[in-house]
Amino acid sequence: MATTNLKRIPVALAQRGYEVVIGRGCRFHVGEELQRLGYGSGLKVLVVSNPVVFHHYGTHCMEALGAAGFMASSLLVEAGETHKTPATVARIYDACWRERLERESLIMALGGGVVGDMAGFAAATWLRGIAVVQVPTTLLAMVDAAIGGKTGVNHPGGKNLIGAFHQPRLVLVDPDTLFTLPEREFQGGMAEVIKYGVIGDVELFTKLEQAETLRSATAMEPALLIQLLCRSAAAKAAVVVADERESGCRAILNYGHTMGHALETLTGYDTYLHGEAVAMGMGAMGWIASREGYWQDIEHQRQTAVLAKAGLPLRWPPLDPDAVVACMGSDKKVRNGRVRFVVPRALGRVEIRDDISTERVGQALKALQ
Ligand code: NAD
Ligand code: GLY
Protein backbone atom coordinates (compact mmCIF):
# COMPACT_ATOMS: atom_id res chain seq x y z
CA MET A 1 0.00 0.00 0.00
CA ALA A 2 1.29 3.46 -0.86
CA THR A 3 1.88 5.41 2.31
CA THR A 4 0.08 8.37 0.69
CA ASN A 5 -3.17 6.42 1.13
CA LEU A 6 -2.75 6.56 4.87
CA LYS A 7 -4.58 9.19 6.90
CA ARG A 8 -2.60 10.48 9.84
CA ILE A 9 -4.55 12.06 12.69
CA PRO A 10 -2.27 13.73 15.25
CA VAL A 11 -2.90 13.47 18.98
CA ALA A 12 -0.89 16.59 19.79
CA LEU A 13 0.23 15.94 23.35
CA ALA A 14 3.74 17.42 23.05
CA GLN A 15 6.28 14.81 24.25
CA ARG A 16 3.50 12.23 24.65
CA GLY A 17 2.06 13.00 21.20
CA TYR A 18 1.43 10.35 18.54
CA GLU A 19 -0.54 9.62 15.39
CA VAL A 20 -3.62 7.59 14.69
CA VAL A 21 -2.72 6.07 11.31
CA ILE A 22 -5.73 4.89 9.31
CA GLY A 23 -5.70 3.01 6.01
CA ARG A 24 -6.89 -0.17 4.35
CA GLY A 25 -4.21 -2.87 4.58
CA CYS A 26 -1.97 -0.83 6.89
CA ARG A 27 -1.62 -3.81 9.24
CA PHE A 28 0.86 -5.22 6.75
CA HIS A 29 3.02 -2.14 7.28
CA VAL A 30 3.27 -2.17 11.04
CA GLY A 31 7.04 -2.77 10.82
CA GLU A 32 7.59 0.27 8.59
CA GLU A 33 5.43 2.43 10.87
CA LEU A 34 7.60 1.44 13.85
CA GLN A 35 10.77 2.16 11.86
CA ARG A 36 9.29 5.57 11.04
CA LEU A 37 9.13 6.21 14.79
CA GLY A 38 12.82 5.40 15.08
CA TYR A 39 12.62 1.82 16.35
CA GLY A 40 15.52 -0.21 15.02
CA SER A 41 16.12 -3.82 14.18
CA GLY A 42 16.46 -6.17 17.16
CA LEU A 43 13.71 -4.39 19.14
CA LYS A 44 11.74 -6.85 21.29
CA VAL A 45 7.99 -6.66 20.65
CA LEU A 46 5.45 -8.62 22.69
CA VAL A 47 2.18 -8.92 20.77
CA VAL A 48 -0.78 -9.35 23.12
CA SER A 49 -3.95 -10.63 21.49
CA ASN A 50 -6.75 -13.16 21.93
CA PRO A 51 -7.22 -16.45 20.05
CA VAL A 52 -10.00 -15.16 17.73
CA VAL A 53 -8.17 -12.03 16.64
CA PHE A 54 -4.79 -13.74 16.43
CA HIS A 55 -6.30 -16.46 14.23
CA HIS A 56 -7.35 -13.77 11.72
CA TYR A 57 -4.48 -11.28 11.96
CA GLY A 58 -1.67 -12.70 14.08
CA THR A 59 0.33 -14.15 11.20
CA HIS A 60 0.23 -10.88 9.21
CA CYS A 61 1.36 -8.96 12.24
CA MET A 62 4.20 -11.32 13.25
CA GLU A 63 5.47 -11.55 9.66
CA ALA A 64 5.39 -7.76 9.20
CA LEU A 65 7.35 -7.31 12.44
CA GLY A 66 9.84 -10.05 11.52
CA ALA A 67 10.36 -8.60 8.03
CA ALA A 68 11.32 -5.27 9.61
CA GLY A 69 13.92 -7.00 11.78
CA PHE A 70 12.04 -6.90 15.10
CA MET A 71 12.12 -9.80 17.58
CA ALA A 72 8.43 -10.51 17.96
CA SER A 73 6.82 -12.91 20.43
CA SER A 74 3.15 -13.31 21.29
CA LEU A 75 0.84 -13.95 24.21
CA LEU A 76 -2.81 -14.87 23.78
CA VAL A 77 -5.23 -14.04 26.59
CA GLU A 78 -8.84 -15.22 26.93
CA ALA A 79 -11.42 -13.09 25.11
CA GLY A 80 -14.15 -11.23 26.96
CA GLU A 81 -14.80 -8.62 29.62
CA THR A 82 -14.80 -11.22 32.43
CA HIS A 83 -11.09 -11.79 31.72
CA LYS A 84 -10.18 -8.08 31.99
CA THR A 85 -8.68 -8.67 35.43
CA PRO A 86 -5.44 -8.23 37.38
CA ALA A 87 -4.93 -12.01 36.98
CA THR A 88 -4.77 -11.69 33.19
CA VAL A 89 -2.40 -8.73 33.46
CA ALA A 90 -0.21 -10.94 35.67
CA ARG A 91 -0.01 -13.36 32.72
CA ILE A 92 1.20 -10.49 30.54
CA TYR A 93 3.86 -9.63 33.16
CA ASP A 94 4.98 -13.28 33.10
CA ALA A 95 5.38 -13.07 29.31
CA CYS A 96 7.33 -9.78 29.69
CA TRP A 97 9.64 -11.59 32.10
CA ARG A 98 9.95 -14.72 29.95
CA GLU A 99 10.81 -12.62 26.88
CA ARG A 100 13.13 -10.41 28.97
CA LEU A 101 11.46 -7.19 27.81
CA GLU A 102 13.60 -4.16 28.57
CA ARG A 103 12.81 -0.47 29.05
CA GLU A 104 13.26 0.06 25.30
CA SER A 105 11.01 -2.89 24.35
CA LEU A 106 7.45 -2.55 23.24
CA ILE A 107 4.07 -4.18 23.84
CA MET A 108 1.66 -4.30 20.91
CA ALA A 109 -2.06 -4.70 21.59
CA LEU A 110 -3.78 -6.52 18.71
CA GLY A 111 -7.50 -6.73 19.38
CA GLY A 112 -10.50 -4.90 20.79
CA GLY A 113 -10.77 -2.67 23.82
CA VAL A 114 -10.38 -5.55 26.29
CA VAL A 115 -6.96 -6.53 24.92
CA GLY A 116 -6.00 -2.86 24.44
CA ASP A 117 -6.87 -1.83 28.00
CA MET A 118 -4.96 -4.76 29.54
CA ALA A 119 -1.91 -4.60 27.28
CA GLY A 120 -1.80 -0.83 27.83
CA PHE A 121 -1.95 -1.28 31.61
CA ALA A 122 0.79 -3.93 31.55
CA ALA A 123 2.93 -1.54 29.48
CA ALA A 124 2.20 1.33 31.89
CA THR A 125 3.50 -0.70 34.82
CA TRP A 126 6.17 -3.15 33.53
CA LEU A 127 9.58 -1.74 34.48
CA ARG A 128 7.63 1.39 35.57
CA GLY A 129 6.47 1.95 32.02
CA ILE A 130 7.43 0.74 28.55
CA ALA A 131 6.01 1.71 25.16
CA VAL A 132 2.70 0.40 23.86
CA VAL A 133 1.34 0.42 20.32
CA GLN A 134 -2.37 -0.10 19.78
CA VAL A 135 -3.59 -2.06 16.75
CA PRO A 136 -7.37 -2.02 17.34
CA THR A 137 -9.56 -4.54 15.50
CA THR A 138 -13.06 -3.55 16.70
CA LEU A 139 -14.88 -0.39 15.64
CA LEU A 140 -15.22 0.60 19.30
CA ALA A 141 -11.49 0.32 19.92
CA MET A 142 -10.64 2.12 16.64
CA VAL A 143 -12.73 5.18 17.46
CA ASP A 144 -12.45 5.23 21.23
CA ALA A 145 -10.59 2.72 23.43
CA ALA A 146 -7.23 2.71 21.59
CA ILE A 147 -6.96 6.51 21.58
CA GLY A 148 -6.37 8.67 24.63
CA GLY A 149 -4.26 6.61 27.01
CA LYS A 150 -6.84 5.21 29.42
CA THR A 151 -5.70 1.70 30.36
CA GLY A 152 -6.85 -0.66 33.08
CA VAL A 153 -8.73 -3.65 34.36
CA ASN A 154 -11.88 -4.36 36.34
CA HIS A 155 -12.18 -4.93 40.09
CA PRO A 156 -15.06 -6.92 41.61
CA GLY A 157 -16.25 -3.54 42.93
CA GLY A 158 -16.64 -2.04 39.47
CA LYS A 159 -15.48 -1.59 35.89
CA ASN A 160 -12.04 -0.10 35.16
CA LEU A 161 -11.37 0.74 38.82
CA ILE A 162 -7.68 -0.20 38.49
CA GLY A 163 -5.77 1.65 35.81
CA ALA A 164 -3.33 4.24 34.60
CA PHE A 165 -3.06 6.92 31.94
CA HIS A 166 -0.45 5.71 29.47
CA GLN A 167 -0.50 7.13 25.95
CA PRO A 168 0.42 4.77 23.10
CA ARG A 169 3.28 5.58 20.71
CA LEU A 170 1.08 4.79 17.72
CA VAL A 171 -2.47 3.70 16.93
CA LEU A 172 -2.67 1.73 13.69
CA VAL A 173 -6.20 1.32 12.31
CA ASP A 174 -6.81 -1.08 9.41
CA PRO A 175 -10.53 -0.89 8.51
CA ASP A 176 -10.28 -4.20 6.62
CA THR A 177 -10.05 -6.02 9.95
CA LEU A 178 -13.68 -5.01 10.54
CA PHE A 179 -14.83 -7.43 7.83
CA THR A 180 -14.48 -10.33 10.27
CA LEU A 181 -16.02 -8.48 13.23
CA PRO A 182 -19.51 -9.76 14.15
CA GLU A 183 -22.19 -7.26 13.04
CA ARG A 184 -23.49 -6.78 16.57
CA GLU A 185 -20.01 -5.69 17.71
CA PHE A 186 -19.75 -3.31 14.73
CA GLN A 187 -23.10 -1.76 15.65
CA GLY A 188 -21.99 -1.36 19.27
CA GLY A 189 -18.95 0.60 18.04
CA MET A 190 -21.20 2.72 15.82
CA ALA A 191 -22.89 4.03 19.00
CA GLU A 192 -19.60 5.78 19.87
CA VAL A 193 -19.34 7.25 16.35
CA ILE A 194 -22.88 8.64 16.70
CA LYS A 195 -21.87 9.99 20.11
CA TYR A 196 -19.07 12.08 18.54
CA GLY A 197 -21.63 13.55 16.14
CA VAL A 198 -24.01 14.55 18.92
CA ILE A 199 -21.41 15.93 21.32
CA GLY A 200 -19.44 18.04 18.88
CA ASP A 201 -19.52 17.31 15.15
CA VAL A 202 -22.82 18.06 13.47
CA GLU A 203 -21.27 17.44 10.03
CA LEU A 204 -20.37 13.91 11.11
CA PHE A 205 -23.92 13.49 12.39
CA THR A 206 -25.33 14.56 9.02
CA LYS A 207 -23.08 12.06 7.23
CA LEU A 208 -24.50 9.34 9.46
CA GLU A 209 -28.03 10.46 8.63
CA GLN A 210 -27.26 10.40 4.92
CA ALA A 211 -25.49 7.01 4.92
CA GLU A 212 -27.36 4.18 3.24
CA THR A 213 -26.56 1.80 6.07
CA LEU A 214 -24.59 1.85 9.32
CA ARG A 215 -25.07 -1.79 10.21
CA SER A 216 -21.93 -3.56 8.98
CA ALA A 217 -18.49 -2.86 7.55
CA THR A 218 -19.16 -5.10 4.56
CA ALA A 219 -22.36 -3.26 3.60
CA MET A 220 -20.90 0.21 4.02
CA GLU A 221 -19.19 2.28 1.36
CA PRO A 222 -15.42 1.86 2.17
CA ALA A 223 -14.72 5.56 1.66
CA LEU A 224 -17.50 6.50 4.07
CA LEU A 225 -16.20 4.07 6.68
CA ILE A 226 -12.75 5.69 6.47
CA GLN A 227 -14.31 9.15 6.79
CA LEU A 228 -16.20 8.05 9.91
CA LEU A 229 -13.01 6.58 11.40
CA CYS A 230 -11.00 9.73 10.68
CA ARG A 231 -13.61 12.17 12.01
CA SER A 232 -14.15 10.07 15.14
CA ALA A 233 -10.40 9.78 15.80
CA ALA A 234 -10.02 13.54 15.29
CA ALA A 235 -12.94 14.21 17.66
CA LYS A 236 -11.46 12.00 20.35
CA ALA A 237 -7.96 13.44 19.84
CA ALA A 238 -9.24 17.01 20.23
CA VAL A 239 -10.91 16.23 23.56
CA VAL A 240 -7.89 14.27 24.86
CA VAL A 241 -5.53 17.09 23.93
CA ALA A 242 -7.76 19.61 25.70
CA ASP A 243 -8.02 17.53 28.89
CA GLU A 244 -5.69 14.52 28.95
CA ARG A 245 -6.45 13.47 32.55
CA GLU A 246 -10.19 14.16 32.60
CA SER A 247 -10.17 17.06 35.00
CA GLY A 248 -12.72 18.92 32.88
CA CYS A 249 -14.07 18.68 29.36
CA ARG A 250 -13.00 15.06 28.68
CA ALA A 251 -16.12 14.15 30.67
CA ILE A 252 -18.25 15.01 27.60
CA LEU A 253 -17.04 11.72 26.11
CA ASN A 254 -19.26 10.08 28.73
CA TYR A 255 -22.45 11.15 26.93
CA GLY A 256 -24.89 8.25 27.37
CA HIS A 257 -22.37 6.40 29.54
CA THR A 258 -23.65 7.30 33.03
CA MET A 259 -27.04 5.69 32.44
CA GLY A 260 -25.47 3.10 30.14
CA HIS A 261 -23.05 1.93 32.85
CA ALA A 262 -25.97 1.57 35.30
CA LEU A 263 -27.77 -0.56 32.72
CA GLU A 264 -24.68 -2.73 32.17
CA THR A 265 -24.19 -3.19 35.93
CA LEU A 266 -27.84 -3.99 36.68
CA THR A 267 -28.01 -6.53 33.87
CA GLY A 268 -24.79 -8.28 34.92
CA TYR A 269 -22.58 -7.22 31.96
CA ASP A 270 -23.87 -10.14 29.89
CA THR A 271 -27.04 -8.77 28.29
CA TYR A 272 -25.94 -5.64 26.46
CA LEU A 273 -22.67 -4.80 24.74
CA HIS A 274 -21.05 -1.61 26.04
CA GLY A 275 -22.01 0.28 22.86
CA GLU A 276 -25.61 -0.93 23.07
CA ALA A 277 -25.87 0.30 26.66
CA VAL A 278 -24.34 3.65 25.60
CA ALA A 279 -26.93 3.94 22.81
CA MET A 280 -29.73 3.34 25.31
CA GLY A 281 -28.16 5.89 27.66
CA MET A 282 -28.00 8.41 24.80
CA GLY A 283 -31.66 7.70 24.02
CA ALA A 284 -32.60 8.31 27.66
CA MET A 285 -30.55 11.53 27.90
CA GLY A 286 -32.07 12.71 24.60
CA TRP A 287 -35.57 12.10 26.01
CA ILE A 288 -34.72 13.91 29.26
CA ALA A 289 -33.12 16.87 27.41
CA SER A 290 -36.17 17.18 25.24
CA ARG A 291 -38.59 17.17 28.23
CA GLU A 292 -36.42 19.69 30.10
CA GLY A 293 -36.42 21.95 27.02
CA TYR A 294 -32.64 21.70 26.63
CA TRP A 295 -32.89 20.62 23.00
CA GLN A 296 -35.73 20.38 20.52
CA ASP A 297 -37.93 17.31 20.02
CA ILE A 298 -36.83 17.18 16.40
CA GLU A 299 -33.18 16.83 17.49
CA HIS A 300 -34.13 13.98 19.81
CA GLN A 301 -36.01 12.33 16.94
CA ARG A 302 -33.01 12.70 14.61
CA GLN A 303 -30.74 11.08 17.20
CA THR A 304 -33.26 8.24 17.69
CA ALA A 305 -33.45 7.68 13.92
CA VAL A 306 -29.66 7.38 13.54
CA LEU A 307 -29.34 5.01 16.51
CA ALA A 308 -32.12 2.84 15.03
CA LYS A 309 -30.47 2.93 11.59
CA ALA A 310 -27.32 1.47 13.18
CA GLY A 311 -29.42 -1.40 14.54
CA LEU A 312 -28.93 -0.27 18.15
CA PRO A 313 -31.50 -1.10 20.84
CA LEU A 314 -33.57 1.79 22.21
CA ARG A 315 -36.12 0.18 24.53
CA TRP A 316 -35.12 -0.17 28.17
CA PRO A 317 -35.92 -3.32 30.15
CA PRO A 318 -38.21 -2.85 33.17
CA LEU A 319 -35.66 -1.72 35.78
CA ASP A 320 -36.41 -0.18 39.17
CA PRO A 321 -35.63 3.57 38.69
CA ASP A 322 -34.32 3.79 42.27
CA ALA A 323 -31.82 1.01 41.51
CA VAL A 324 -30.69 2.83 38.36
CA VAL A 325 -30.23 6.09 40.27
CA ALA A 326 -28.41 4.30 43.13
CA CYS A 327 -26.13 2.65 40.61
CA MET A 328 -25.35 5.96 38.91
CA GLY A 329 -24.51 7.33 42.38
CA SER A 330 -21.58 4.93 42.65
CA ASP A 331 -20.19 5.81 39.20
CA LYS A 332 -16.57 7.08 39.02
CA LYS A 333 -17.86 10.36 37.58
CA VAL A 334 -19.92 11.43 40.62
CA ARG A 335 -18.68 14.69 42.22
CA ASN A 336 -19.64 15.75 45.76
CA GLY A 337 -22.34 13.09 45.78
CA ARG A 338 -24.11 14.53 42.70
CA VAL A 339 -24.46 12.59 39.48
CA ARG A 340 -23.06 14.58 36.56
CA PHE A 341 -24.95 14.04 33.31
CA VAL A 342 -23.80 15.02 29.85
CA VAL A 343 -26.89 16.74 28.42
CA PRO A 344 -27.38 17.59 24.73
CA ARG A 345 -28.23 21.25 24.04
CA ALA A 346 -28.28 20.91 20.24
CA LEU A 347 -26.87 18.44 17.72
CA GLY A 348 -23.14 19.07 18.06
CA ARG A 349 -23.29 20.68 21.52
CA VAL A 350 -23.55 19.25 25.04
CA GLU A 351 -23.09 20.51 28.58
CA ILE A 352 -22.49 18.84 31.94
CA ARG A 353 -25.29 19.25 34.51
CA ASP A 354 -25.85 17.85 37.98
CA ASP A 355 -29.46 18.99 38.41
CA ILE A 356 -31.40 16.25 36.62
CA SER A 357 -33.95 14.95 39.13
CA THR A 358 -34.47 11.33 40.08
CA GLU A 359 -38.13 11.73 39.05
CA ARG A 360 -37.09 12.78 35.54
CA VAL A 361 -34.79 9.76 35.22
CA GLY A 362 -37.66 7.52 36.38
CA GLN A 363 -40.03 9.11 33.81
CA ALA A 364 -37.50 8.52 31.03
CA LEU A 365 -37.06 4.87 31.96
CA LYS A 366 -40.85 4.38 31.98
CA ALA A 367 -41.36 6.19 28.70
CA LEU A 368 -38.60 4.20 26.98
CA GLN A 369 -39.70 0.72 28.16
P1 NAD B 1 -13.76 -6.63 22.96
O1 NAD B 1 -12.37 -6.23 23.07
O2 NAD B 1 -14.31 -7.56 24.00
O3 NAD B 1 -14.00 -7.29 21.54
C1 NAD B 1 -15.30 -7.75 21.21
C2 NAD B 1 -15.26 -9.15 20.59
O4 NAD B 1 -14.85 -9.05 19.24
C3 NAD B 1 -14.30 -10.11 21.26
O5 NAD B 1 -14.93 -11.36 21.36
C4 NAD B 1 -13.12 -10.19 20.28
O6 NAD B 1 -12.48 -11.43 20.33
C5 NAD B 1 -13.82 -10.00 18.96
N1 NAD B 1 -13.02 -9.37 17.91
C6 NAD B 1 -12.22 -8.29 18.03
N2 NAD B 1 -11.78 -7.90 16.84
C7 NAD B 1 -12.27 -8.78 15.94
C8 NAD B 1 -12.16 -8.90 14.53
N3 NAD B 1 -11.54 -7.99 13.80
N4 NAD B 1 -12.76 -9.95 13.95
C9 NAD B 1 -13.47 -10.85 14.67
N5 NAD B 1 -13.64 -10.78 16.00
C10 NAD B 1 -13.04 -9.74 16.62
O7 NAD B 1 -14.76 -5.39 22.95
P2 NAD B 1 -14.59 -3.85 22.53
O8 NAD B 1 -15.96 -3.37 22.33
O9 NAD B 1 -13.57 -3.66 21.50
O10 NAD B 1 -13.98 -3.19 23.87
C11 NAD B 1 -14.69 -3.12 25.06
C12 NAD B 1 -13.73 -2.76 26.16
O11 NAD B 1 -13.13 -1.51 25.86
C13 NAD B 1 -14.36 -2.63 27.51
O12 NAD B 1 -13.59 -3.34 28.45
C14 NAD B 1 -14.33 -1.14 27.80
O13 NAD B 1 -14.21 -0.86 29.18
C15 NAD B 1 -13.09 -0.74 27.05
N6 NAD B 1 -13.08 0.68 26.66
C16 NAD B 1 -11.97 1.40 26.95
C17 NAD B 1 -11.89 2.74 26.60
C18 NAD B 1 -10.64 3.51 26.88
O14 NAD B 1 -10.64 4.74 26.71
N7 NAD B 1 -9.57 2.86 27.27
C19 NAD B 1 -12.95 3.35 25.93
C20 NAD B 1 -14.07 2.58 25.63
C21 NAD B 1 -14.12 1.24 26.01
N1 GLY C 1 -13.82 6.60 26.64
C1 GLY C 1 -13.82 7.80 27.41
C2 GLY C 1 -12.48 8.44 27.48
O1 GLY C 1 -11.54 8.00 26.85
O2 GLY C 1 -12.33 9.39 28.20
Side-chain angles (χ1 to χ4, degrees), residues 115-327:
V115 161
D117 278 10
M118 286 194 293
F121 185 60
T125 42
W126 184 251
L127 303 182
R128 300 199 177 89
I130 65 171
V132 64
V133 163
Q134 296 280 352
V135 185
T137 61
T138 64
L139 181 58
L140 185 130
M142 289 176 183
V143 299
D144 187 2
I147 308 168
K150 281 189 182 175
T151 72
V153 292
N154 301 327
H155 179 271
K159 230 175 113 94
N160 299 328
L161 290 185
I162 307 161
F165 284 96
H166 188 56
Q167 299 294 343
R169 293 286 162 87
L170 166 73
V171 181
L172 193 66
V173 174
D174 186 340
D176 285 357
T177 60
L178 296 175
F179 294 147
T180 55
L181 186 69
E183 272 189 19
R184 189 176 166 203
E185 296 285 352
F186 183 84
Q187 292 163 7
M190 193 55 75
E192 301 284 358
V193 178
I194 298 168
K195 176 192 79 178
Y196 291 123
V198 177
I199 67 173
D201 186 347
V202 73
E203 217 178 293
L204 168 61
F205 189 86
T206 311
K207 276 185 196 299
L208 295 167
E209 281 183 310
Q210 289 166 349
E212 237 165 72
T213 177
L214 298 173
R215 287 183 179 231
S216 79
T218 34
M220 269 182 84
E221 184 59 40
L224 175 65
L225 180 57
I226 293 195
Q227 279 178 31
L228 299 184
L229 291 170
C230 289
R231 285 195 91 101
S232 300
K236 173 115 194 208
V239 175
V240 168
V241 167
D243 179 20
E244 186 182 359
R245 298 241 163 183
E246 199 169 309
S247 49
C249 73
R250 186 163 176 168
I252 67 169
L253 295 174
N254 298 321
Y255 177 49
H257 285 58
T258 308
M259 291 190 71
H261 276 165
L263 175 65
E264 283 183 272
T265 306
L266 293 172
T267 53
Y269 293 101
D270 59 2
T271 310
Y272 300 99
L273 297 180
H274 174 70
E276 292 172 339
V278 167
M280 290 163 74
M282 286 166 62
M285 286 318 299
W287 188 93
I288 290 169
S290 163
R291 286 305 173 284
E292 296 279 350
Y294 291 138
W295 74 349
Q296 299 171 31
D297 283 349
I298 183 67
E299 293 174 296
H300 174 48
Q301 287 157 17
R302 284 173 68 189
Q303 175 183 267
T304 305
V306 171
L307 291 168
K309 185 191 213 173
L312 288 157
L314 292 162
R315 294 266 145 223
W316 279 68
L319 293 175
D320 172 7
D322 290 335
V324 173
V325 171
C327 201

